[in-house]
Amino acid sequence: MARKMLVDGVLDKVGEETKQYDFDLFVIGAGSGGVRASRTSAAFGAKVAICELPFHPISSEVIGGVGGTCVIRGCVPKKILVYGSEFRGEFEDSRNFGWEIDGKINFNWKKLLHNKTQEITRLNGIYMRLLSNAGVTMIEGEGKLIDAHTVEITEPDGTTKKHSAKHILIATGSRAQRANIPGKELAITSDEALSLEELPKRVVILGAGYIALEFASIWQGMGAEVDVFYRKELPLRGFDDEMRAVVAKNLEGRGIRLHPGTNLTELRKSEDGISVLTDHGDEFTADVVLFATGRVPNTKRLNLQSVGVELDNAGAIKVDEYSCTSVPNIWAVGDVTNRMNLTPVALMEGTCFSKTVFGGQPTKPDYADIPCAVFCLPPLSIVGLSEQQALEQAKNDILVYTSSFNPMKNTISGRQEKTVMKLVVDSETDKVLGASMCGPDAPEIMQGIAVALKCGATKAQFDSTVGIHPSAAEEFVTMRTLTRRVAAGTKPKTNL
Ligand code: NDP
């Protein structure tokens, strides 16, 4: 039914029929997607309510707070800790630039933690004000569906209230999942890692995705010994294989111990911390064991299936291209749909939802050429296709251009760490299909490259762009020598 309305371009007329409902839109979950959808829907004239659990900046038991995972226990606090850990490298590099640091440099974890918590609290306040300034009704409590038009809220004191709405949007995000290993309760997830009371001296990390590598860099930068265990040959499955190898080399170069092809088999409490046993028969002792083994959609306590909202095998809400669920007036955006689990993608989905339902402009989120970054040190950032993805999709041969160089700063500091950049180009159309960079400032640089790819830039257009000198970024427009040509139909190596 919703689909028919959309195809005909006959959209919801804001205000019409609202009389019989308390709200035009009720949003469950005030994270990135939910807040964006609420505000943009209200701007189109919809009467909007949003519910969220109370904010707790430290507790890992309360999964709530306006701002959601990104602001409260994800991107923002993580980036603050990354900034904190970057100083280690800066102090090391400063010596050959003439800086003389006498005596021991101390790092005060509690001070950083306090400042981080203050900043998160400030942002939480800003998000609350954004909602109230937009005219959105904020309701504190946990929401669940009673029927297709009714949400029941359990407030913090246990009382329940029902609210009706013409449309319901589910934006409840995801939560960390623990690998099922004996002793897993001794491990922490990223929720707790952001608020540890003491800085650990010895850390074991399981997994080699975004969170694992980011925390490995954070803790190593702050002086801990870090061991990362993962099942594959290289970290960051799904990224360009060549860049994965560069990341691994750089992390090891900074002192992080990588253990590819290794699983943990058991965690045990020991006198000296936590004993970590591996399937290679080794035993390690750690103060903290982090499980960074992926996240699962928050769908369990919403009563979704009983109102007909279908889930996939991973427990994510199934949606169509407009974010509509199997129930025509119930919609879902963000990690709870497990499409591309990134904050800016949830924001895009939230905006498209409002345009579609309340703005008179049916709009599908566009998942092409979405850039992203892993904030390990140095960071990796990518946009478009990896070499392997390009080969899987290729009709034509693929041209690969790579540049591996010693950044100018390293020539003086003496740091032995290469920056690597890569362009993957279609040999017939000359279109740049993918770009990646591992090196300082990669995420800042790749945002601009993403605009170029979104505009369909060709390699010739990259080449005709004048560089900014001296910078690392200029390498992207000076890669003249072909590294290799890979024939269409070549099978990419698998199981790395
Ligand atoms: P990822 O999916 O990125 O990585 C999960 C890692 O855990 C993989 O290395 C995986 O190994 C491993 N793993 C999964 N299950 C097991 C198991 N049972 N035993 C051993 N290893 C296991 O998840 P993250 O938790 O790092 O991050 C979750 C999501 O959050 C990301 O996908 C991303 O969407 C988002 N995120 C984005 C960030 C950013 O944009 N900078 C930062 C942080 C998170 P294998 O490859 O072998 O399956």
Side-chain angles (χ1 to χ4, degrees), residues 251-281:
L251 293 181
E252 286 186 314
R254 291 212 177 195
I256 294 168
R257 291 186 293 254
L258 300 181
H259 304 268
T262 311
N263 245 320
L264 303 189
T265 50
E266 192 179 346
L267 308 183
R268 281 190 208 141
K269 189 121 197 66
S270 70
E271 269 181 24
D272 190 23
I274 304 168
S275 287
V276 179
L277 310 181
T278 78
D279 60 358
H280 290 194

PDB file of all heavy atoms in Angstrom, residues 251-281:
ATOM      1  N   LEU A 251      50.545  -1.055  11.616  1.00  0.00           N
ATOM      2  CA  LEU A 251      50.216  -1.298  13.032  1.00  0.00           C
ATOM      3  C   LEU A 251      51.374  -2.006  13.719  1.00  0.00           C
ATOM      4  O   LEU A 251      51.763  -1.651  14.842  1.00  0.00           O
ATOM      5  CB  LEU A 251      48.932  -2.131  13.151  1.00  0.00           C
ATOM      6  CG  LEU A 251      47.626  -1.461  12.702  1.00  0.00           C
ATOM      7  CD1 LEU A 251      46.452  -2.413  12.903  1.00  0.00           C
ATOM      8  CD2 LEU A 251      47.380  -0.158  13.441  1.00  0.00           C
ATOM      9  N   GLU A 252      51.939  -2.997  13.029  1.00  0.00           N
ATOM     10  CA  GLU A 252      53.088  -3.711  13.627  1.00  0.00           C
ATOM     11  C   GLU A 252      54.267  -2.767  13.792  1.00  0.00           C
ATOM     12  O   GLU A 252      54.974  -2.815  14.799  1.00  0.00           O
ATOM     13  CB  GLU A 252      53.461  -4.915  12.762  1.00  0.00           C
ATOM     14  CG  GLU A 252      52.441  -6.022  12.918  1.00  0.00           C
ATOM     15  CD  GLU A 252      52.828  -7.306  12.200  1.00  0.00           C
ATOM     16  OE1 GLU A 252      53.247  -7.227  11.034  1.00  0.00           O
ATOM     17  OE2 GLU A 252      52.677  -8.373  12.811  1.00  0.00           O
ATOM     18  N   GLY A 253      54.433  -1.885  12.811  1.00  0.00           N
ATOM     19  CA  GLY A 253      55.523  -0.901  12.878  1.00  0.00           C
ATOM     20  C   GLY A 253      55.400  -0.014  14.110  1.00  0.00           C
ATOM     21  O   GLY A 253      56.397   0.486  14.630  1.00  0.00           O
ATOM     22  N   ARG A 254      54.177   0.202  14.555  1.00  0.00           N
ATOM     23  CA  ARG A 254      53.974   1.057  15.748  1.00  0.00           C
ATOM     24  C   ARG A 254      54.007   0.245  17.048  1.00  0.00           C
ATOM     25  O   ARG A 254      53.775   0.783  18.123  1.00  0.00           O
ATOM     26  CB  ARG A 254      52.652   1.793  15.622  1.00  0.00           C
ATOM     27  CG  ARG A 254      52.705   2.843  14.504  1.00  0.00           C
ATOM     28  CD  ARG A 254      51.847   4.031  14.785  1.00  0.00           C
ATOM     29  NE  ARG A 254      51.985   5.018  13.724  1.00  0.00           N
ATOM     30  CZ  ARG A 254      51.592   6.280  13.825  1.00  0.00           C
ATOM     31  NH1 ARG A 254      51.039   6.715  14.932  1.00  0.00           N
ATOM     32  NH2 ARG A 254      51.754   7.124  12.821  1.00  0.00           N
ATOM     33  N   GLY A 255      54.204  -1.063  16.912  1.00  0.00           N
ATOM     34  CA  GLY A 255      54.399  -1.871  18.128  1.00  0.00           C
ATOM     35  C   GLY A 255      53.225  -2.733  18.528  1.00  0.00           C
ATOM     36  O   GLY A 255      53.253  -3.365  19.590  1.00  0.00           O
ATOM     37  N   ILE A 256      52.171  -2.766  17.700  1.00  0.00           N
ATOM     38  CA  ILE A 256      51.021  -3.633  18.025  1.00  0.00           C
ATOM     39  C   ILE A 256      51.349  -5.037  17.526  1.00  0.00           C
ATOM     40  O   ILE A 256      51.809  -5.213  16.388  1.00  0.00           O
ATOM     41  CB  ILE A 256      49.737  -3.080  17.358  1.00  0.00           C
ATOM     42  CG1 ILE A 256      49.392  -1.731  17.986  1.00  0.00           C
ATOM     43  CG2 ILE A 256      48.575  -4.070  17.473  1.00  0.00           C
ATOM     44  CD1 ILE A 256      48.343  -0.937  17.248  1.00  0.00           C
ATOM     45  N   ARG A 257      51.113  -6.047  18.383  1.00  0.00           N
ATOM     46  CA  ARG A 257      51.413  -7.435  17.975  1.00  0.00           C
ATOM     47  C   ARG A 257      50.172  -8.049  17.343  1.00  0.00           C
ATOM     48  O   ARG A 257      49.124  -8.137  17.995  1.00  0.00           O
ATOM     49  CB  ARG A 257      51.888  -8.251  19.173  1.00  0.00           C
ATOM     50  CG  ARG A 257      53.270  -7.801  19.660  1.00  0.00           C
ATOM     51  CD  ARG A 257      53.773  -8.723  20.744  1.00  0.00           C
ATOM     52  NE  ARG A 257      52.980  -8.616  21.942  1.00  0.00           N
ATOM     53  CZ  ARG A 257      53.372  -8.004  23.058  1.00  0.00           C
ATOM     54  NH1 ARG A 257      54.565  -7.455  23.124  1.00  0.00           N
ATOM     55  NH2 ARG A 257      52.591  -7.967  24.117  1.00  0.00           N
ATOM     56  N   LEU A 258      50.306  -8.444  16.071  1.00  0.00           N
ATOM     57  CA  LEU A 258      49.177  -9.037  15.357  1.00  0.00           C
ATOM     58  C   LEU A 258      49.326 -10.551  15.337  1.00  0.00           C
ATOM     59  O   LEU A 258      50.425 -11.068  15.132  1.00  0.00           O
ATOM     60  CB  LEU A 258      49.112  -8.499  13.920  1.00  0.00           C
ATOM     61  CG  LEU A 258      48.947  -6.985  13.771  1.00  0.00           C
ATOM     62  CD1 LEU A 258      48.876  -6.598  12.293  1.00  0.00           C
ATOM     63  CD2 LEU A 258      47.714  -6.476  14.514  1.00  0.00           C
ATOM     64  N   HIS A 259      48.199 -11.258  15.517  1.00  0.00           N
ATOM     65  CA  HIS A 259      48.207 -12.724  15.520  1.00  0.00           C
ATOM     66  C   HIS A 259      47.172 -13.212  14.505  1.00  0.00           C
ATOM     67  O   HIS A 259      46.047 -13.569  14.878  1.00  0.00           O
ATOM     68  CB  HIS A 259      47.867 -13.264  16.914  1.00  0.00           C
ATOM     69  CG  HIS A 259      48.773 -12.751  17.983  1.00  0.00           C
ATOM     70  ND1 HIS A 259      49.918 -13.403  18.385  1.00  0.00           N
ATOM     71  CD2 HIS A 259      48.723 -11.621  18.739  1.00  0.00           C
ATOM     72  CE1 HIS A 259      50.522 -12.710  19.334  1.00  0.00           C
ATOM     73  NE2 HIS A 259      49.810 -11.626  19.566  1.00  0.00           N
ATOM     74  N   PRO A 260      47.533 -13.209  13.198  1.00  0.00           N
ATOM     75  CA  PRO A 260      46.567 -13.657  12.190  1.00  0.00           C
ATOM     76  C   PRO A 260      46.304 -15.154  12.317  1.00  0.00           C
ATOM     77  O   PRO A 260      47.106 -15.889  12.908  1.00  0.00           O
ATOM     78  CB  PRO A 260      47.264 -13.332  10.866  1.00  0.00           C
ATOM     79  CG  PRO A 260      48.700 -13.146  11.184  1.00  0.00           C
ATOM     80  CD  PRO A 260      48.817 -12.787  12.625  1.00  0.00           C
ATOM     81  N   GLY A 261      45.190 -15.596  11.765  1.00  0.00           N
ATOM     82  CA  GLY A 261      44.869 -17.027  11.741  1.00  0.00           C
ATOM     83  C   GLY A 261      44.796 -17.632  13.129  1.00  0.00           C
ATOM     84  O   GLY A 261      45.119 -18.810  13.312  1.00  0.00           O
ATOM     85  N   THR A 262      44.388 -16.843  14.111  1.00  0.00           N
ATOM     86  CA  THR A 262      44.371 -17.350  15.484  1.00  0.00           C
ATOM     87  C   THR A 262      43.030 -17.037  16.148  1.00  0.00           C
ATOM     88  O   THR A 262      42.535 -15.918  16.057  1.00  0.00           O
ATOM     89  CB  THR A 262      45.494 -16.668  16.322  1.00  0.00           C
ATOM     90  OG1 THR A 262      46.705 -16.735  15.579  1.00  0.00           O
ATOM     91  CG2 THR A 262      45.668 -17.342  17.661  1.00  0.00           C
ATOM     92  N   ASN A 263      42.476 -18.009  16.796  1.00  0.00           N
ATOM     93  CA  ASN A 263      41.232 -17.825  17.541  1.00  0.00           C
ATOM     94  C   ASN A 263      41.507 -17.930  19.033  1.00  0.00           C
ATOM     95  O   ASN A 263      42.430 -18.632  19.434  1.00  0.00           O
ATOM     96  CB  ASN A 263      40.230 -18.914  17.146  1.00  0.00           C
ATOM     97  CG  ASN A 263      39.031 -18.311  16.458  1.00  0.00           C
ATOM     98  OD1 ASN A 263      38.542 -17.247  16.848  1.00  0.00           O
ATOM     99  ND2 ASN A 263      38.552 -18.999  15.429  1.00  0.00           N
ATOM    100  N   LEU A 264      40.692 -17.285  19.831  1.00  0.00           N
ATOM    101  CA  LEU A 264      40.782 -17.489  21.273  1.00  0.00           C
ATOM    102  C   LEU A 264      39.876 -18.662  21.629  1.00  0.00           C
ATOM    103  O   LEU A 264      38.795 -18.823  21.057  1.00  0.00           O
ATOM    104  CB  LEU A 264      40.331 -16.229  22.018  1.00  0.00           C
ATOM    105  CG  LEU A 264      41.087 -14.944  21.677  1.00  0.00           C
ATOM    106  CD1 LEU A 264      40.701 -13.834  22.645  1.00  0.00           C
ATOM    107  CD2 LEU A 264      42.598 -15.153  21.705  1.00  0.00           C
ATOM    108  N   THR A 265      40.325 -19.487  22.550  1.00  0.00           N
ATOM    109  CA  THR A 265      39.529 -20.662  22.916  1.00  0.00           C
ATOM    110  C   THR A 265      38.930 -20.543  24.317  1.00  0.00           C
ATOM    111  O   THR A 265      37.910 -21.151  24.601  1.00  0.00           O
ATOM    112  CB  THR A 265      40.386 -21.949  22.848  1.00  0.00           C
ATOM    113  OG1 THR A 265      41.591 -21.713  23.567  1.00  0.00           O
ATOM    114  CG2 THR A 265      40.704 -22.327  21.410  1.00  0.00           C
ATOM    115  N   GLU A 266      39.584 -19.764  25.188  1.00  0.00           N
ATOM    116  CA  GLU A 266      39.051 -19.643  26.551  1.00  0.00           C
ATOM    117  C   GLU A 266      39.662 -18.436  27.264  1.00  0.00           C
ATOM    118  O   GLU A 266      40.815 -18.082  27.022  1.00  0.00           O
ATOM    119  CB  GLU A 266      39.387 -20.923  27.349  1.00  0.00           C
ATOM    120  CG  GLU A 266      38.645 -20.998  28.653  1.00  0.00           C
ATOM    121  CD  GLU A 266      38.950 -22.286  29.435  1.00  0.00           C
ATOM    122  OE1 GLU A 266      39.513 -23.225  28.856  1.00  0.00           O
ATOM    123  OE2 GLU A 266      38.620 -22.307  30.633  1.00  0.00           O
ATOM    124  N   LEU A 267      38.865 -17.843  28.128  1.00  0.00           N
ATOM    125  CA  LEU A 267      39.379 -16.808  29.034  1.00  0.00           C
ATOM    126  C   LEU A 267      39.208 -17.329  30.454  1.00  0.00           C
ATOM    127  O   LEU A 267      38.159 -17.892  30.782  1.00  0.00           O
ATOM    128  CB  LEU A 267      38.586 -15.498  28.896  1.00  0.00           C
ATOM    129  CG  LEU A 267      38.414 -14.896  27.498  1.00  0.00           C
ATOM    130  CD1 LEU A 267      37.659 -13.572  27.593  1.00  0.00           C
ATOM    131  CD2 LEU A 267      39.763 -14.663  26.836  1.00  0.00           C
ATOM    132  N   ARG A 268      40.250 -17.116  31.278  1.00  0.00           N
ATOM    133  CA  ARG A 268      40.174 -17.563  32.686  1.00  0.00           C
ATOM    134  C   ARG A 268      40.678 -16.458  33.584  1.00  0.00           C
ATOM    135  O   ARG A 268      41.654 -15.784  33.243  1.00  0.00           O
ATOM    136  CB  ARG A 268      41.116 -18.754  32.903  1.00  0.00           C
ATOM    137  CG  ARG A 268      40.577 -20.056  32.416  1.00  0.00           C
ATOM    138  CD  ARG A 268      41.514 -21.168  32.934  1.00  0.00           C
ATOM    139  NE  ARG A 268      41.464 -22.293  32.008  1.00  0.00           N
ATOM    140  CZ  ARG A 268      42.494 -23.028  31.643  1.00  0.00           C
ATOM    141  NH1 ARG A 268      43.700 -22.757  32.121  1.00  0.00           N
ATOM    142  NH2 ARG A 268      42.358 -24.032  30.816  1.00  0.00           N
ATOM    143  N   LYS A 269      40.034 -16.317  34.694  1.00  0.00           N
ATOM    144  CA  LYS A 269      40.517 -15.339  35.674  1.00  0.00           C
ATOM    145  C   LYS A 269      41.794 -15.908  36.284  1.00  0.00           C
ATOM    146  O   LYS A 269      41.833 -17.088  36.645  1.00  0.00           O
ATOM    147  CB  LYS A 269      39.423 -15.140  36.734  1.00  0.00           C
ATOM    148  CG  LYS A 269      39.677 -14.033  37.674  1.00  0.00           C
ATOM    149  CD  LYS A 269      38.549 -12.973  37.624  1.00  0.00           C
ATOM    150  CE  LYS A 269      38.985 -11.668  38.265  1.00  0.00           C
ATOM    151  NZ  LYS A 269      40.044 -10.957  37.596  1.00  0.00           N
ATOM    152  N   SER A 270      42.840 -15.095  36.359  1.00  0.00           N
ATOM    153  CA  SER A 270      44.065 -15.570  37.008  1.00  0.00           C
ATOM    154  C   SER A 270      44.480 -14.540  38.052  1.00  0.00           C
ATOM    155  O   SER A 270      43.913 -13.454  38.108  1.00  0.00           O
ATOM    156  CB  SER A 270      45.182 -15.752  35.977  1.00  0.00           C
ATOM    157  OG  SER A 270      45.588 -14.486  35.515  1.00  0.00           O
ATOM    158  N   GLU A 271      45.463 -14.900  38.825  1.00  0.00           N
ATOM    159  CA  GLU A 271      45.917 -13.989  39.891  1.00  0.00           C
ATOM    160  C   GLU A 271      46.396 -12.658  39.322  1.00  0.00           C
ATOM    161  O   GLU A 271      46.226 -11.605  39.898  1.00  0.00           O
ATOM    162  CB  GLU A 271      47.076 -14.635  40.650  1.00  0.00           C
ATOM    163  CG  GLU A 271      46.577 -15.434  41.815  1.00  0.00           C
ATOM    164  CD  GLU A 271      47.718 -16.057  42.585  1.00  0.00           C
ATOM    165  OE1 GLU A 271      48.847 -15.536  42.516  1.00  0.00           O
ATOM    166  OE2 GLU A 271      47.455 -17.074  43.252  1.00  0.00           O
ATOM    167  N   ASP A 272      46.980 -12.769  38.129  1.00  0.00           N
ATOM    168  CA  ASP A 272      47.650 -11.626  37.536  1.00  0.00           C
ATOM    169  C   ASP A 272      46.788 -10.907  36.494  1.00  0.00           C
ATOM    170  O   ASP A 272      47.260 -10.081  35.749  1.00  0.00           O
ATOM    171  CB  ASP A 272      48.944 -12.164  36.885  1.00  0.00           C
ATOM    172  CG  ASP A 272      49.845 -11.053  36.448  1.00  0.00           C
ATOM    173  OD1 ASP A 272      49.722  -9.952  37.005  1.00  0.00           O
ATOM    174  OD2 ASP A 272      50.643 -11.269  35.523  1.00  0.00           O
ATOM    175  N   GLY A 273      45.537 -11.278  36.378  1.00  0.00           N
ATOM    176  CA  GLY A 273      44.686 -10.648  35.368  1.00  0.00           C
ATOM    177  C   GLY A 273      43.759 -11.668  34.715  1.00  0.00           C
ATOM    178  O   GLY A 273      43.126 -12.462  35.395  1.00  0.00           O
ATOM    179  N   ILE A 274      43.745 -11.653  33.375  1.00  0.00           N
ATOM    180  CA  ILE A 274      42.920 -12.630  32.649  1.00  0.00           C
ATOM    181  C   ILE A 274      43.843 -13.480  31.777  1.00  0.00           C
ATOM    182  O   ILE A 274      44.638 -12.931  30.994  1.00  0.00           O
ATOM    183  CB  ILE A 274      41.880 -11.910  31.751  1.00  0.00           C
ATOM    184  CG1 ILE A 274      41.013 -10.967  32.587  1.00  0.00           C
ATOM    185  CG2 ILE A 274      41.002 -12.920  31.000  1.00  0.00           C
ATOM    186  CD1 ILE A 274      40.160 -10.012  31.768  1.00  0.00           C
ATOM    187  N   SER A 275      43.741 -14.809  31.929  1.00  0.00           N
ATOM    188  CA  SER A 275      44.519 -15.707  31.065  1.00  0.00           C
ATOM    189  C   SER A 275      43.747 -15.939  29.785  1.00  0.00           C
ATOM    190  O   SER A 275      42.557 -16.255  29.818  1.00  0.00           O
ATOM    191  CB  SER A 275      44.736 -17.063  31.728  1.00  0.00           C
ATOM    192  OG  SER A 275      45.670 -16.911  32.733  1.00  0.00           O
ATOM    193  N   VAL A 276      44.453 -15.777  28.686  1.00  0.00           N
ATOM    194  CA  VAL A 276      43.815 -15.904  27.379  1.00  0.00           C
ATOM    195  C   VAL A 276      44.452 -17.075  26.646  1.00  0.00           C
ATOM    196  O   VAL A 276      45.662 -17.079  26.423  1.00  0.00           O
ATOM    197  CB  VAL A 276      44.023 -14.598  26.572  1.00  0.00           C
ATOM    198  CG1 VAL A 276      43.380 -14.716  25.204  1.00  0.00           C
ATOM    199  CG2 VAL A 276      43.487 -13.394  27.326  1.00  0.00           C
ATOM    200  N   LEU A 277      43.644 -18.093  26.315  1.00  0.00           N
ATOM    201  CA  LEU A 277      44.181 -19.270  25.633  1.00  0.00           C
ATOM    202  C   LEU A 277      43.818 -19.212  24.158  1.00  0.00           C
ATOM    203  O   LEU A 277      42.698 -18.812  23.791  1.00  0.00           O
ATOM    204  CB  LEU A 277      43.601 -20.544  26.246  1.00  0.00           C
ATOM    205  CG  LEU A 277      43.686 -20.653  27.768  1.00  0.00           C
ATOM    206  CD1 LEU A 277      43.102 -21.974  28.257  1.00  0.00           C
ATOM    207  CD2 LEU A 277      45.132 -20.535  28.229  1.00  0.00           C
ATOM    208  N   THR A 278      44.759 -19.616  23.298  1.00  0.00           N
ATOM    209  CA  THR A 278      44.503 -19.564  21.858  1.00  0.00           C
ATOM    210  C   THR A 278      44.475 -20.970  21.266  1.00  0.00           C
ATOM    211  O   THR A 278      44.964 -21.936  21.890  1.00  0.00           O
ATOM    212  CB  THR A 278      45.591 -18.757  21.114  1.00  0.00           C
ATOM    213  OG1 THR A 278      46.753 -19.596  20.988  1.00  0.00           O
ATOM    214  CG2 THR A 278      45.956 -17.489  21.843  1.00  0.00           C
ATOM    215  N   ASP A 279      43.955 -21.082  20.048  1.00  0.00           N
ATOM    216  CA  ASP A 279      43.910 -22.389  19.389  1.00  0.00           C
ATOM    217  C   ASP A 279      45.278 -22.815  18.868  1.00  0.00           C
ATOM    218  O   ASP A 279      45.407 -23.872  18.256  1.00  0.00           O
ATOM    219  CB  ASP A 279      42.847 -22.405  18.277  1.00  0.00           C
ATOM    220  CG  ASP A 279      43.111 -21.382  17.198  1.00  0.00           C
ATOM    221  OD1 ASP A 279      44.094 -20.619  17.319  1.00  0.00           O
ATOM    222  OD2 ASP A 279      42.330 -21.338  16.225  1.00  0.00           O
ATOM    223  N   HIS A 280      46.302 -22.003  19.082  1.00  0.00           N
ATOM    224  CA  HIS A 280      47.675 -22.414  18.759  1.00  0.00           C
ATOM    225  C   HIS A 280      48.362 -22.972  20.004  1.00  0.00           C
ATOM    226  O   HIS A 280      49.553 -23.238  19.998  1.00  0.00           O
ATOM    227  CB  HIS A 280      48.482 -21.228  18.219  1.00  0.00           C
ATOM    228  CG  HIS A 280      48.042 -20.788  16.858  1.00  0.00           C
ATOM    229  ND1 HIS A 280      48.775 -19.941  16.063  1.00  0.00           N
ATOM    230  CD2 HIS A 280      46.938 -21.077  16.138  1.00  0.00           C
ATOM    231  CE1 HIS A 280      48.142 -19.729  14.925  1.00  0.00           C
ATOM    232  NE2 HIS A 280      47.014 -20.411  14.957  1.00  0.00           N
ATOM    233  N   GLY A 281      47.594 -23.045  21.092  1.00  0.00           N
ATOM    234  CA  GLY A 281      48.151 -23.595  22.325  1.00  0.00           C
ATOM    235  C   GLY A 281      48.905 -22.571  23.162  1.00  0.00           C
ATOM    236  O   GLY A 281      49.566 -22.926  24.137  1.00  0.00           O
TER     237      GLY A 281
END
